[in-house]
Amino acid sequence: PHSPAARARLMFGTGAGGGDLVDSTARVVITIFTQMCNFYGQSYLYPILESLTDMINSHPPHSPPALPFDETARPHDLGVDGKFWVCIERIHSAAKSFERELWAENRTGSMRVWEILVHTRSQTSLTLAKDRRIRFFQELEERGEAVILRALDTLSAHIQWILVTGGESMSKTTTGNRLFAGSGGGPYDLRTGSILDSTNSPAVKALTFCLRSQFVHIQAALTPQSLSKFWTAISKRLFDILVTRLLQNYTVSTVGAVVLSRDVEALRSVSMLAGNDHSHWDTLRELLTLYMTPPDSLKAMLVGAEGDINSGKGLFGRIGKDQSIVFMSRRNDYRYKTNQVMKRSAWVIELLQDLNMNDQVDTRINISLYCAEHISEKS
């Protein structure tokens, strides 16, 4: 069967003879093309994109997830059903078919819009048709990006639900801790326990299980370039959720640092399934050594073996002075409680005096300085 543009060519010819025939052919073809853009967009693809938002469960459950997840069962979809990504892929395929079968630029003998308008030698009509085509794909792209951003926000909310809500719920169940205050606690403030026998904490194990399942659907739906951007955004949001909670709510023991290190490795691994901007995880891995190092060895780690604060070496040189101290302050031996008051440990006072630095814990933490974007720039 002939396309509308091809039928117009059969009716009016190519307009190669000049005169009114040129104008008639060009006018008919551009009118039909405009109508097809309107139909394919406003009446077909755009409403489908709008309806996709109904497939997204933006808000995670109020109750914590039941961890650990059964990895023989279907993974949690993190609020975005796999069918959502199938629809995205099919919309992309439909748009490519529209371009290929109706416009068909540079396809000699196609009898499609571009070729017919070229033969009419009507530059005005060809320019108008190109502009209409560009508007169609720009609007489709903008609407598609809005829906995919909604999916990204939903995945982020469910990452928070599993990693933070689920992880803290497990910690309270096993340790009896109340809600964690800024003074300490959390899933990495461990003394001893069988959790060291496992590879990762239950929350991180569950989360990476779900993210790997999601990745399969996303990879099938997006182009390699779009996949790289989307998964890099997931990587950075995952990092920000973990680091924000760590610096504002948790403390880390030497035993807990081992579990935290394993968790960061697992999260880094799943983050690197796509994209190439993941240096924030490498920086965090380096900072985690602050929780495993004895107090008397911390100075060399912070400023280098020579002990010169201005040498540009150590964590101070690579990551920043204030940032390094803030991360170090989450050690569970950084402060101790006496008479219901939190006081700095003796080694902390001595180290800060030796470094001629103020305690960053005494000021409000600007968490934006520790986000993935900022950390990546520093590294």
Side-chain angles (χ1 to χ4, degrees):
H2 297 295
S3 70
R7 288 197 294 271
R9 179 173 177 172
L10 291 173
M11 293 169 60
F12 295 94
T14 63
D20 293 339
L21 194 57
V22 170
D23 294 333
S24 297
T25 301
R27 282 199 303 271
V28 169
V29 170
I30 195 172
T31 298
I32 293 174
F33 181 65
T34 299
Q35 291 173 345
M36 288 299 296
C37 287
N38 291 337
F39 167 76
Y40 217 66
Q42 299 293 343
S43 302
Y44 181 42
L45 294 183
Y46 301 165
I48 294 175
L49 283 170
E50 291 172 3
S51 68
L52 282 181
T53 58
D54 297 333
M55 295 180 63
I56 299 176
N57 184 10
S58 301
H59 302 290
H62 295 293
S63 58
L67 301 178
F69 286 172
D70 180 3
E71 296 193 9
T72 63
R74 182 180 178 182
H76 195 286
D77 63 15
L78 303 179
V80 183
D81 192 285
K83 295 176 183 177
F84 170 89
W85 297 110
V86 172
C87 290
I88 291 293
E89 190 278 329
R90 290 180 178 173
I91 288 173
H92 184 249
S93 296
K96 288 195 297 183
S97 296
F98 181 79
E99 168 80 354
R100 182 179 62 252
E101 298 301 330
L102 193 60
W103 181 253
E105 187 163 343
N106 290 321
R107 276 178 54 197
T108 303
S110 66
M111 296 178 65
R112 298 300 190 260
V113 171
W114 181 85
E115 185 180 39
I116 295 174
L117 291 178
V118 167
H119 285 169
T120 66
R121 299 186 179 90
S122 175
Q123 191 60 43
T124 299
S125 296
L126 183 60
T127 299
L128 290 173
K130 286 181 176 180
D131 289 343
R132 185 63 189 89
R133 168 181 168 271
I134 290 172
R135 290 202 310 274
F136 168 77
F137 282 103
Q138 281 181 338
E139 186 168 0
L140 180 63
E141 183 178 9
E142 289 171 1
R143 290 171 179 265
E145 286 179 350
V147 173
I148 291 175
L149 180 59
R150 175 81 176 270
L152 176 62
D153 291 338
T154 298
L155 291 173
S156 301
H158 283 75
I159 287 172
Q160 175 101 12
W161 175 62
I162 294 177
L163 189 61
V164 176
T165 308
E168 293 177 4
S169 176
M170 283 287 293
S171 178
K172 285 181 286 184
T173 300
T174 56
T175 66
N177 288 340
R178 296 188 176 187
L179 287 173
F180 313 120
S183 59
Y188 302 110
D189 193 5
L190 305 170
R191 303 297 184 262
T192 57
S194 59
I195 194 169
L196 281 178
D197 299 330
S198 61
T199 305
N200 299 114
S201 65
V204 168
K205 190 175 182 182
L207 179 58
T208 53
F209 171 57
C210 296
L211 284 173
R212 288 183 183 277
S213 175
Q214 269 287 330
F215 180 80
V216 174
H217 299 296
I218 298 170
Q219 184 180 37
L222 302 182
T223 64
Q225 183 181 11
S226 296
L227 174 65
S228 177
K229 291 180 179 179
F230 186 88
W231 206 252
T232 297
I234 286 286
S235 171
K236 292 182 176 181
R237 291 194 181 200
L238 179 55
F239 177 93
D240 291 347
I241 289 169
L242 175 64
V243 168
T244 296
R245 203 64 179 173
L246 171 64
L247 297 182
Q248 293 185 335
N249 298 84
Y250 297 164
T251 53
V252 183
S253 66
T254 304
V255 174
V258 177
V259 181
L260 177 57
S261 179
R262 291 173 179 172
D263 283 353
V264 167
E265 286 298 322
L267 296 174
R268 176 179 177 271
S269 176
V270 77
S271 295
M272 295 184 70
L273 289 173
N276 51 21
D277 185 9
H278 303 292
S279 60
H280 42 281
W281 291 109
D282 297 326
T283 301
L284 182 57
R285 287 197 300 177
E286 193 171 4
L287 285 164
L288 293 185
T289 57
L290 290 170
Y291 306 127
M292 306 176 190
T293 304
D296 57 3
S297 300
L298 284 170
K299 182 179 179 181
M301 179 172 292
L302 291 170
V303 301
E306 295 83 358
D308 181 4
I309 189 174
N310 297 314
S311 67
K313 298 180 179 179
L315 292 175
F316 277 14
R318 291 190 296 275
I319 298 166
K321 298 176 182 178
D322 292 346
Q323 289 88 338
S324 299
I325 295 297
V326 166
F327 269 93
M328 186 181 72
S329 71
R330 304 321 297 172
R331 290 174 60 115
N332 74 339
D333 61 350
Y334 192 87
R335 291 187 174 192
Y336 65 96
K337 182 178 289 187
T338 176
N339 296 326
Q340 303 303 312
V341 177
M342 299 299 296
K343 293 186 176 182
R344 297 184 192 89
S345 298
W347 68 264
V348 174
I349 297 173
E350 181 180 348
L351 178 60
L352 292 176
Q353 288 176 345
D354 195 15
L355 296 173
N356 193 28
M357 289 196 65
N358 297 320
D359 189 355
Q360 297 302 310
V361 180
D362 291 337
T363 60
R364 184 178 179 86
I365 297 176
N366 181 2
I367 203 65
S368 66
L369 297 177
Y370 305 90
C371 68
E373 289 288 351
H374 192 274
I375 289 288
S376 297
E377 291 174 1
K378 291 291 291 184
S379 60

